[in-house]
């Protein structure tokens, strides 16, 4: 398959891994993959087992579901429990625990909570159910914000009276800055998020190289993308360079996607601050619906508690999201907290570090190195 098989070639992967091992030398390297999609690939394909032990990959905050705090889940459940409401969200979001259960629990108790694949599906439900209020619970980084923005603009243009959006969109640059300002973590560089960068481009990361003197390599999501991204970070450090490089040129343009950025600007404004799961409040890190579209803002149309809820004591998602702890170092990993019974958000989404490690990484790869890179059987792809 074009653009897939060639990025899973095991001979190339082995050669690249050897080269990384030679050039990494004896020093310890710590490189953060910002995006949850990277984390998923790293565990699914056993990338950590291909790398030498002194090259450590640290998981970052780029999983959209993982960063939603419990209070915002409670707010969503309050809206979903309002009589007459059809509450819609992406599938992962339904299982995220709030202080008194998840949206899935609310559904079991009678709330009309429905999974959708896009905000346009939610808008369609509004057309089909004119006597009901349809709410879309929007989450995600700049990757998904354009589709929410377009849906909002269409609802406004068509003056759909029974549709609104509960906006939880966040932005990637503020948490990267928060991590760089954190005294807990020493990093050699970043694998920049490929999907987000397809929208925002590579220039917003310039401050990481210029002010914090850390290399950033915007990286794709196939195994060879990750290995090449790691190699590019190491090369920059060894050559005394500190730049923003683009490994994912087949998708990411330097200036991103101007049309997507424009619809984000038309629909949303910056929130003064927003709470991130495990990272606390970060200034100017999230989006809210602009005043001119207030009638489509579910936070204004419905009663929401808006109360901050502390994470459960056992939960160490914050440390995992900041890359300070590995998933298996959390006390409840794999025992009280599993994908079936998640305590924290990182165990919910397939992009969450804990779920990715639980699903793929806990099995020893000592005997299966590289075999995981073999292409799937032809039938499976047809
Ligand atoms: S194991 Fe569960 S509680 Fe612990 S960090 Fe992961 S998701 Fe959070």
């Amino acid at each position: 398959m074009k653009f897939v098989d060639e990025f899973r070639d095991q001979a190339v992967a082995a050669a690249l891994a050897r080269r990384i091992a030679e050039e990494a030398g004896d020093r310890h390297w710590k490189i953060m993959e910002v995006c949850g999609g990277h984390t998923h690939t790293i565990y699914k394909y056993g990338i950590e087992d291909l790398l030498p032990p002194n090259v450590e990959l640290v998981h970052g905050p780029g999983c959209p579901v993982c960063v939603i705090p419990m209070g915002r889940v409670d707010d969503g459940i309050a809206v979903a429990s309002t009589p007459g409401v059809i509450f819609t969200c992406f599938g992962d979001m339904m299982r995220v625990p709030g202080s008194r259960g998840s949206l899935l629990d609310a559904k079991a108790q009678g709330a009309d909570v429905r999974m959708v694949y896009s905000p346009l599906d939610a808008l369609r439900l509004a057309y089909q159910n004119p006597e009901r209020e349809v709410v879309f619970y929007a989450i995600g980084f700049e990757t998904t914000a354009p589709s929410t923005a377009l849906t909002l603009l269409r609802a406004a243009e068509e003056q759909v009276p029974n549709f609104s959006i509960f906006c939880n969109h966040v932005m990637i640059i503020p948490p990267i800055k928060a991590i760089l300002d954190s005294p807990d973590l020493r990093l050699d560089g970043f694998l920049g998020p490929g999907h987000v960068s397809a929208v925002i481009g590579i220039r917003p990361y310039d401050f990481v190289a210029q002010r914090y003197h850390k290399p950033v390599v915007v990286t794709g999501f196939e195994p060879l993308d990750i290995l090449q991204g790691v190699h590019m970070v190491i090369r920059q450090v060894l050559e005394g360079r500190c730049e923003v490089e683009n490994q994912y040129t087949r998708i990411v343009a330097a200036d991103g996607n101007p049309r997507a950025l424009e619809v984000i600007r038309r629909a949303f404004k910056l929130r003064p601050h927003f709470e991130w799961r495990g990272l606390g409040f970060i200034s100017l890190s999230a989006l809210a619906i602009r005043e001119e579209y207030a009638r489509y803002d579910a936070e204004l149309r419905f009663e929401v508690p808006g109360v901050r809820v502390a994470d459960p004591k056992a939960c160490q998602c914050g440390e995992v999201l900041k890359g300070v702890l590995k998933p298996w170092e959390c006390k409840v990993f794999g025992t009280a907290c599993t994908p079936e019974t998640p305590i924290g958000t990182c165990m919910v989404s397939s992009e969450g570090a804990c779920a990715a490690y639980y699903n793929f990484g806990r099995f020893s790869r000592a005997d299966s190195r590289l075999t995981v890179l073999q292409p799937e059987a032809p039938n499976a792809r047809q």
Side-chain angles (χ1 to χ4, degrees):
M1 192 187 294
K2 184 90 177 126
F3 295 132
V4 174
D5 288 351
E6 60 267 55
F7 291 96
R8 297 179 185 176
D9 185 301
Q10 58 179 309
V12 179
L16 203 42
R18 272 195 301 276
R19 205 152 159 200
I20 290 170
E22 282 162 22
E23 295 182 19
D26 296 331
R27 65 170 278 190
H28 188 89
W29 297 81
K30 236 178 180 184
I31 298 170
M32 174 174 274
E33 89 273 4
V34 172
C35 183
H38 289 152
T39 308
H40 182 86
T41 299
I42 286 163
Y43 284 132
K44 182 174 180 188
Y45 291 95
I47 301 292
E48 284 192 321
D49 291 334
L50 291 175
L51 293 172
N54 56 323
V55 177
E56 183 185 353
L57 295 177
V58 179
H59 319 306
C63 158
V65 170
C66 302
V67 299
I68 297 291
M70 291 184 102
R72 297 293 286 187
V73 180
D74 287 357
D75 290 347
I77 291 171
V79 175
S81 305
T82 307
V85 163
I86 299 175
F87 191 87
T88 62
C89 60
F90 295 139
D92 285 352
M93 193 57 229
M94 293 176 79
R95 298 193 303 117
V96 176
S99 66
R100 286 184 297 280
S102 63
L103 283 159
L104 209 53
D105 294 324
K107 183 180 173 74
Q109 288 156 17
D112 192 348
V113 180
R114 304 188 194 184
M115 185 185 85
V116 290
Y117 290 102
S118 86
L120 281 174
D121 289 347
L123 184 59
R124 199 168 300 120
L125 278 173
Y127 297 139
Q128 292 164 353
N129 297 272
E131 73 294 353
R132 307 277 301 275
E133 283 288 334
V134 176
V135 179
F136 175 65
Y137 192 83
I139 63 163
F141 288 85
E142 290 92 336
T143 328
T144 48
S147 62
T148 306
L150 274 176
T151 306
L152 172 66
L153 297 175
R154 182 185 289 188
E157 196 180 303
E158 297 178 0
Q159 299 191 357
V160 182
N162 62 327
F163 177 73
S164 58
I165 291 170
F166 195 108
C167 183
N168 298 283
H169 282 298
V170 289
M171 296 184 304
I172 199 69
I173 296 298
I176 292 179
K177 185 169 180 313
I179 284 169
L180 283 163
D181 287 334
S182 155
D184 298 347
L185 197 61
R186 301 257 179 277
L187 291 170
D188 293 295
F190 291 89
L191 301 185
H195 294 144
V196 166
S197 306
V199 174
I200 67 172
I202 66 169
R203 304 195 200 288
Y205 308 107
D206 282 347
F207 79 101
V208 181
Q210 289 164 7
R211 204 176 325 148
Y212 292 90
H213 310 294
K214 303 288 179 198
V216 178
V217 176
V218 171
T219 302
F221 297 91
E222 292 296 332
L224 291 189
D225 289 324
I226 304 280
L227 287 169
Q228 191 180 19
V230 169
H231 185 236
M232 288 168 76
V233 169
I234 290 174
R235 293 259 8 131
Q236 280 203 40
V237 175
L238 293 178
E239 291 169 6
R241 291 184 292 121
C242 201
E243 299 165 9
V244 180
E245 289 185 307
N246 186 4
Q247 183 277 336
Y248 204 25
T249 49
R250 66 190 186 278
I251 298 292
V252 174
D255 291 321
N257 182 333
R259 291 183 68 186
L261 290 170
E262 174 56 24
V263 291
I264 291 176
R265 266 191 291 271
R266 280 176 58 202
F268 301 124
K269 62 180 181 181
L270 280 176
R271 288 180 192 268
H273 46 73
F274 189 78
E275 186 190 358
W276 292 59
R277 178 104 177 195
L279 301 175
F281 284 90
I282 303 180
S283 303
L284 305 174
S285 64
L287 300 171
I289 292 172
R290 282 190 179 280
E291 287 81 6
E292 52 263 49
Y293 303 113
R295 64 180 289 199
Y296 300 99
D297 189 342
E299 279 184 85
L300 302 178
R301 276 173 75 151
F302 295 90
E303 289 274 326
V304 291
V307 175
R308 182 169 190 258
V309 180
D311 290 344
K313 279 207 169 62
C315 173
Q316 293 186 281
C317 288
E319 282 70 27
V320 170
L321 284 167
K322 284 186 282 191
V324 176
L325 278 190
K326 295 284 187 183
W328 61 90
E329 292 171 329
C330 174
K331 291 185 284 291
V332 292
F333 175 84
T335 52
C337 186
T338 67
E340 287 73 36
T341 55
I343 290 178
T345 44
C346 303
M347 194 58 99
V348 175
S349 165
S350 62
E351 294 192 0
C354 296
Y357 187 77
Y358 186 91
N359 288 327
F360 302 113
R362 66 202 164 107
F363 303 110
S364 167
R365 294 192 179 278
D367 300 326
S368 59
R369 287 177 166 207
L370 291 174
T371 56
V372 290
L373 291 171
Q374 284 175 344
E376 295 152 13
N379 284 347
R381 282 187 272 118
Q382 284 165 0

